[in-house]
């Protein structure tokens, strides 16, 4: 039996240790440089203030030329024009000119350059091409905007912009520094080199089964390592390990860092939601929270009136969003710093935060609520991360409402008091993912996250230990194959 443990560990290690070494190196890069994305703050910072002069056709006119039943409606500036932007549950996006009321055609080269010019009016630029997908646009969030036009800016950051082929918006920016670090960061960590070479359909399963093989290999290694360590009396050499050279580094490194290596590889496997372990069989339907489809009747105030109300409060809006909460209409304004104000269509008041009772009443339409709690501080399930992390760009403001429902999946909703937005669903499978992925993989634990650089030191030391473990395994595997 011992022999089979050694053999399985050895040959699985020869296959997977190279990937483990790559994962540890790229993971350390990802602590500080994330995969390129356009964060909401970056998006707003590059928009001009909305002007009521010459704007706009009514929301009803814009809806008449758009497709029916949009999931989201915004007013923003694209390529120097005010546009109504419509997003749909099907994953489609389209735009309507807010001045003429005409539907915007798919983006042309000239419009892409104009959009890039709004993003940075001072930088020389070069139109590159239009692509469906490339190294820095492997993201399902961009599917509604494909094809993507690429425009290279000659600014100090060497920024590459991705322009929506449907609406003309800038939907992603990637600086030269981000692109360079990501070649040994997220792009490598997620094995994106396997995409774009005809393996896209197999990519997910390749990552899952490589991670599974590495998890088994590391677990077997931990068992073998303990078996080979002399706890009571040393070997004749005086050492408690029978190995020398790289093998000794591997043995001792495995005893020190093996358990953490196992948790990291296993939690990386969990990040892929293998075999849909974290997908609920009965997800909670939250459509009733809105209280009906978005339609013009719920928003009697025009765009100029809404902008004037915001301006009266000293608030300069760069983007507007129309939102229904429990059947009542609200217009959410955002400024260049990401701050928000809410204009109630009921009484025309501009609010910094929505009344808690409004959100509670809207949530009751979804189903029976077990408990409603207002969080004044972050906890294990609701917390903010650094912007470069995978979901760090998502706004996690306080206070926030947590509503627990008595549905089969025991779902929790987090409701943003500043905008009324449903920030996310946490049912039982997703809460399990919080433990098995986020906690074990990136140590999303508040006592560490709130005490940086303690968290940084913890992650780097453990990563270096895992790197020693995997590199020594690569060396021994190479020597074995050469024999």
């Amino acid at each position: 039996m011992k022999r089979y443990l050694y053999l399985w560990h050895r040959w699985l290690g020869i296959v997977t240790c190279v990937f483990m070494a790559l994962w540890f190196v790229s993971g350390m890069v990802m602590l500080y440089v994330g995969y390129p994305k356009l964060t909401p703050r970056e998006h707003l910072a590059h928009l001009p203030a909305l002007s009521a002069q010459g704007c706009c056709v009514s929301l009803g006119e814009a809806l008449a030329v758009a497709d029916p039943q949009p999931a989201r409606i915004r007013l923003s500036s694209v390529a120097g024009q005010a546009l109504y932007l419509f997003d749909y549950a099907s994953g489609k996006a389209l735009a309507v000119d807010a001045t003429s009321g005409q539907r915007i055609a798919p983006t042309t080269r000239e419009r892409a350059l104009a959009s890039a010019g709004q993003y940075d009016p001072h930088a020389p630029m070069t139109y590159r091409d239009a692509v469906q997908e490339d190294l820095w646009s492997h993201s399902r969030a961009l599917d509604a905007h494909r094809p993507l036009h690429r425009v290279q800016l000659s600014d100090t950051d060497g920024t590459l912009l991705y322009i929506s082929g449907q609406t003309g918006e800038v939907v992603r920016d990637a600086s030269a520094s981000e692109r360079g670090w990501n070649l040994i960061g997220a792009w490598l960590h997620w094995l994106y080199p396997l995409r774009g070479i005809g393996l896209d359909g197999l990519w997910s399963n390749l990552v899952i089964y490589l991670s599974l093989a590495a998890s088994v290999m590391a677990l077997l290694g931990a068992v073998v390592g303990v078996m080979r360590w002399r706890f009571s009396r040393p070997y004749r050499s005086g050492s408690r390990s029978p190995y020398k050279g790289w093998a000794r580094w591997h043995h001792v490194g495995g005893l020190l860092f093996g358990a953490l290596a196992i948790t990291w590889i296993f939690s990386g496997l969990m990040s892929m939601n293998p075999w849909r372990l974290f997908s609920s069989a009965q997800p909670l339907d939250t459509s009733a929270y809105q209280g009906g489809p978005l339609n013009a009747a719920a928003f009697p105030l025009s765009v100029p009136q809404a902008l004037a109300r915001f301006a009266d409060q000293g608030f300069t809006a760069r983007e507007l969003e129309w939102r229904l909460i429990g059947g009542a209409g609200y217009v959410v304004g955002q400024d260049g710093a990401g701050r928000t104000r809410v204009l109630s269509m009921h009484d025309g008041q501009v609010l910094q935060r929505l009344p808690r009772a409004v959100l509670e009443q809207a949530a009751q339409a979804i189903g029976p609520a077990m408990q409603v709690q207002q969080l004044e501080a972050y906890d294990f399930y609701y917390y903010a991360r650094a912007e470069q992390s995978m979901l760090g760009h998502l706004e996690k403001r306080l206070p926030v409402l947590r509503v627990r429902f008595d549905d089969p999946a025991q779902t929790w909703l987090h409701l943003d008091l500043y905008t009324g937005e449903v920030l996310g669903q946490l049912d039982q499978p997703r809460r399990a993912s919080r433990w098995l992925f986020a906690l074990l993989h990136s140590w999303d634990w508040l006592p560490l996250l709130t005490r940086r650089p303690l968290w940084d030191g913890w992650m780097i030391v453990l990563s270096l230990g895992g790197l020693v473990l995997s590199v020594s395994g690569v060396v021994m595997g190479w020597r074995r194959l050469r024999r």
Side-chain angles (χ1 to χ4, degrees):
M1 184 64 183
K2 284 184 182 180
R3 175 174 171 76
Y4 288 114
L5 287 176
Y6 298 154
L7 288 174
W8 275 104
H9 175 63
R10 175 188 298 161
W11 291 105
L12 282 173
I14 287 173
V15 173
T16 60
C17 268
V18 171
F19 292 99
M20 286 179 60
L22 296 178
W23 285 331
F24 281 115
V25 170
S26 57
M28 285 189 282
V29 173
M30 289 176 68
L31 297 179
Y32 304 102
V33 183
Y35 192 66
K37 58 183 173 241
L38 182 72
T39 68
R41 290 184 184 275
E42 289 175 324
H43 165 70
L44 292 164
H46 289 90
L47 294 179
L50 290 170
S51 172
Q53 188 173 358
C55 182
C56 295
V57 300
S58 68
L59 179 61
E61 292 175 90
L63 283 166
V65 298
D67 291 347
Q69 295 189 337
R72 189 183 184 200
I73 305 173
R74 292 176 292 140
L75 179 73
S76 191
S77 299
V78 179
Q81 290 180 277
L83 299 185
Y84 284 102
L85 302 170
F86 297 89
D87 298 320
Y88 294 85
S90 63
K92 183 178 180 180
L94 62 86
V96 172
D97 189 327
T99 303
S100 67
Q102 296 181 342
R103 191 159 163 168
I104 297 294
T107 306
T108 61
R109 176 182 183 276
E110 291 71 25
R111 187 167 181 80
L113 286 169
S115 186
Q118 177 183 285
Y119 180 93
D120 190 336
H122 307 295
M125 61 190 66
T126 305
Y127 179 84
R128 288 181 55 175
D129 52 14
V131 297
Q132 283 294 330
E133 194 169 342
D134 68 358
L135 271 64
W136 317 121
S137 56
H138 295 311
S139 173
R140 294 184 63 184
L142 298 176
D143 286 352
H145 299 283
R146 304 185 197 279
L148 303 169
H149 295 263
R150 300 193 299 180
V151 177
Q152 180 66 59
L153 302 184
S154 297
D155 59 352
T156 55
D157 294 327
T159 306
L160 178 63
L161 296 181
Y162 290 79
I163 315 295
S164 169
Q166 307 304 319
T167 65
E169 300 171 87
V170 175
V171 291
R172 175 150 297 182
D173 61 353
S175 68
S177 175
E178 281 180 317
R179 300 196 303 274
W181 280 109
N182 263 273
L183 290 174
I184 55 171
W187 183 72
L188 195 60
H189 196 79
W190 297 330
L191 301 186
Y192 277 172
L194 298 176
R195 302 186 66 167
I197 59 171
L199 296 176
D200 289 44
L202 301 173
W203 170 78
S204 178
N205 281 333
L206 282 170
V207 176
I208 286 172
Y209 287 106
L210 273 173
S211 302
L212 181 60
S215 298
V216 173
M217 180 274 297
L219 184 60
L220 291 175
V223 174
V224 170
V226 171
M227 290 170 59
R228 296 293 283 163
W229 185 261
R230 287 282 180 87
F231 289 94
S232 57
R233 58 186 180 85
Y235 291 90
R236 281 187 294 178
S237 64
S239 171
R240 296 188 182 274
S241 172
Y243 304 111
K244 295 180 180 180
W246 282 104
R248 183 165 182 165
W249 279 99
H250 190 72
H251 188 199
V252 175
L255 291 172
L256 291 174
F257 298 100
L260 288 162
I262 293 168
T263 61
W264 257 333
I265 300 164
F266 173 76
S267 57
L269 168 64
M270 293 298 101
S271 74
M272 298 298 296
N273 188 17
W275 314 291
R276 301 184 63 81
L277 290 176
F278 305 122
S279 299
S280 177
Q282 294 178 280
L284 183 67
D285 182 4
T286 61
S287 58
Y289 175 77
Q290 187 169 275
L294 284 169
N295 58 66
F299 305 97
L301 295 180
S302 66
V303 169
Q305 289 173 318
L307 291 175
R309 298 289 175 93
F310 286 129
D312 289 343
Q313 301 296 318
F315 186 81
T316 303
R318 296 195 179 190
E319 190 164 278
L320 301 181
E321 180 174 353
W322 283 261
R323 181 163 286 157
L324 274 178
I325 302 171
Y330 298 89
V331 174
V332 179
Q334 297 190 77
D335 70 4
R339 293 182 291 262
T340 58
R341 294 293 185 274
V342 181
L343 173 61
S344 169
M345 294 290 106
H346 170 66
D347 54 16
Q349 287 190 338
V350 175
L351 308 170
Q352 186 171 358
R353 277 173 23 192
L354 288 161
R356 171 176 170 168
V358 169
L359 303 190
E360 285 190 40
Q361 185 176 357
Q364 287 172 2
I366 298 173
M370 295 169 58
Q371 180 185 357
V372 180
Q373 178 185 9
Q374 183 165 311
L375 302 182
E376 302 291 342
Y378 293 129
D379 68 2
F380 187 76
Y381 292 102
Y382 183 82
Y383 57 96
R385 285 296 315 272
E387 193 172 80
Q388 74 273 7
S389 62
M390 191 185 307
L391 300 176
H393 62 288
L394 300 178
E395 193 78 48
K396 295 291 184 72
R397 290 184 285 196
L398 290 169
V400 69
L401 281 191
R402 175 180 290 160
V403 185
R404 306 181 188 214
F405 290 90
D406 194 19
D407 64 310
Q410 298 293 291
T411 305
W412 302 357
L413 294 185
H414 288 112
L415 306 179
D416 187 356
L417 285 161
Y418 295 87
T419 65
E421 182 181 1
V422 178
L423 297 175
Q425 290 192 38
L426 274 178
D427 53 21
Q428 287 177 329
R430 288 187 179 97
R431 292 196 292 276
S433 175
R434 167 70 181 96
W435 284 91
L436 297 178
F437 166 52
L439 176 63
L440 295 181
H441 203 67
S442 53
W443 285 88
D444 287 2
W445 186 42
L446 287 181
L448 279 177
L449 286 176
T450 56
R451 289 173 175 83
R452 299 187 70 170
L454 181 61
W455 178 85
D456 303 71
W458 174 262
M459 297 294 284
I460 290 171
V461 168
L462 297 185
S463 298
L464 289 173
L467 184 60
V468 168
L469 181 60
S470 52
V471 168
S472 58
V474 170
V475 173
M476 292 190 300
W478 172 248
R479 288 176 176 174
R480 169 68 60 173
L481 291 175
R482 286 185 65 187
R483 283 187 232 156

